[in-house]
């Protein structure tokens, strides 16, 4: 959602993650910033941020009130700001994202790959993580034992997980190969896919999240470790 507001150029640069106000002022006075091709060296010049763009070191940046990011998470990175055994997913993003305090929306295990959303919009993170929204997430699980009809039926009927008051069932469970199944879940409980497969007598050896709502990794065309900004048309796909 775009909000119209006038801001001084130093505040604009700071809000976009280009460092402290002092540093942003120095970028402007040093002649590194252009607006519509025109050099601006007075950091107090103010602009309407609606559909605004600026050029820094010759690169054009659209103004973004918030950033919404999709990452194709590789293995051996953790979805935590203070990781314990592997680097944080945040190390895969740009420095501007760190300055903007971008956070993962929910978590994937360190050995799970695939679609992970990140943002600096607290309301968005909260809404996307809310169990009330029932946003389906599609996982591709590789299993240790063959995927049997019985396993599929068990996951569809629901399995009992330790510390869960009720049975947890997959919305969809489909065998896609001898050792692979697609599982769609609405909830996002801790290690849910792995625990459900274990409760059904199998074992997950690899896990990839390929879709959130109607947004697929395939549409985004990201290789492992790559990320992109999400635009309005992508965000509209993040619905049940
Ligand atoms: N379920 C799991 O077991 N792990 C994940 O990372 C995501 C869902």
């Amino acid at each position: 959602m775009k909000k119209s507001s006038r801001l001084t150029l130093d505040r604009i640069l700071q809000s976009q993650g280009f460092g402290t106000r002092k540093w942003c002022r120095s970028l402007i006075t040093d002649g590194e910033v252009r607006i519509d091709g025109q050099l601006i060296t007075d950091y107090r010049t103010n602009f309407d941020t609606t559909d605004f763009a600026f050029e820094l070191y010759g690169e054009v940046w659209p103004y973004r009130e918030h950033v919404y990011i999709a990452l194709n998470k590789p293995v051996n990175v953790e979805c935590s700001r203070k990781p314990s055994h592997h680097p944080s997913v945040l190390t895969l993003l740009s420095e501007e994202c760190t300055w903007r305090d971008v956070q993962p929306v929910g978590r994937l295990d360190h050995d799970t790959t695939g679609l992970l959303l990140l943002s600096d919009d607290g309301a968005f993170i909260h809404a996307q993580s809310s169990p009330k929204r029932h946003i389906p997430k599609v996982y591709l699980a590789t299993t240790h034992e063959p995927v049997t009809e019985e396993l599929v039926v068990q996951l569809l009927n629901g399995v009992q997980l330790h510390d869960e008051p009720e049975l947890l069932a997959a919305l969809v469970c489909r065998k896609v190969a001898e050792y692979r199944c697609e599982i769609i879940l609405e909830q996002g409980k801790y290690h849910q896919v792995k625990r459900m497969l274990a409760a059904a007598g199998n074992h997950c050896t690899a896990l990839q999240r390929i879709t959130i709502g109607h947004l697929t990794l395939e549409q985004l065309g990201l290789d492992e470790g790559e990320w992109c900004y999400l635009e309005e048309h992508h965000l509209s796909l993040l619905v049940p």
Side-chain angles (χ1 to χ4, degrees):
M1 194 59 68
K2 283 178 182 163
K3 198 168 69 184
S4 164
S5 65
R6 291 194 77 83
L7 291 176
T8 52
L9 193 52
D10 58 342
R11 278 185 186 274
I12 291 177
L13 257 60
Q14 189 187 13
S15 73
Q16 302 304 287
F18 288 100
T20 62
R21 182 92 61 83
K22 193 173 166 203
W23 175 251
C24 291
R25 285 181 178 178
S26 71
L27 290 175
I28 299 161
T29 50
D30 288 353
E32 301 294 358
V33 184
R34 286 175 186 268
I35 313 294
D36 291 332
Q38 194 191 336
L39 188 66
I40 308 285
T41 52
D42 182 352
Y43 62 75
R44 288 161 301 199
T45 318
N46 63 75
F47 296 91
D48 184 342
T49 55
T50 315
D51 296 325
F52 179 76
F54 55 94
E55 208 180 305
L56 176 63
Y57 299 128
E59 190 178 342
V60 177
W61 296 83
Y63 174 86
R64 296 176 193 269
E65 189 187 351
H66 288 294
V67 286
Y68 306 92
I69 288 168
L71 167 74
N72 185 354
K73 180 191 168 299
V75 291
N76 295 337
V77 286
E78 293 182 26
C79 293
S80 164
R81 295 170 91 182
K82 293 190 181 136
S84 29
H85 300 294
H86 303 280
S88 164
V89 282
L90 300 172
T91 61
L92 298 172
L93 306 181
S94 64
E95 206 182 333
E96 298 86 66
C97 293
T98 311
W99 278 97
R100 294 188 71 135
D101 204 16
V102 164
Q103 304 294 321
V105 179
R107 291 189 176 200
L108 289 176
D109 299 333
H110 79 90
D111 54 356
T112 300
T113 59
L115 186 55
L116 179 73
L117 305 180
L118 303 103
S119 179
D120 62 351
D121 180 350
F124 172 81
I125 295 175
H126 183 74
Q128 282 295 316
S129 319
S130 167
K132 291 190 195 132
R133 286 204 72 199
H134 302 293
I135 298 177
K137 299 183 177 89
V138 185
Y139 296 90
L140 261 185
T142 307
T143 56
H144 190 257
E145 307 300 330
V147 175
T148 60
E149 178 61 26
E150 192 198 340
L151 175 90
V152 170
V153 170
Q154 276 195 74
L155 294 185
L156 288 172
N157 287 343
V159 288
Q160 187 66 56
L161 300 187
H162 187 61
D163 279 347
E164 289 298 333
E166 288 170 8
L167 294 183
L168 287 177
L171 210 57
V172 172
C173 180
R174 207 163 59 83
K175 175 173 175 169
V176 292
E178 180 72 358
Y179 291 90
R180 283 198 124 188
C181 59
E182 183 185 88
I183 297 175
I184 307 186
L185 297 181
E186 271 186 355
Q187 317 90 342
K189 310 267 183 198
Y190 181 66
H191 293 329
Q192 189 171 342
V193 174
K194 293 174 188 167
R195 288 161 72 213
M196 285 177 71
L197 282 166
N202 206 319
H203 175 70
C204 182
T205 56
L207 187 60
Q208 183 190 28
R209 183 157 72 190
I210 54 171
T211 304
I212 298 176
H214 300 277
L215 180 68
T216 68
L217 251 191
E218 200 177 1
Q219 287 160 357
L220 296 166
L222 298 170
D223 286 334
E224 271 188 27
E226 283 185 350
W227 61 276
C228 66
Y229 290 113
L230 295 176
E231 307 299 342
E232 291 284 343
H233 68 279
H234 294 123
L235 297 179
S236 66
L237 297 173
L238 296 173
V239 289

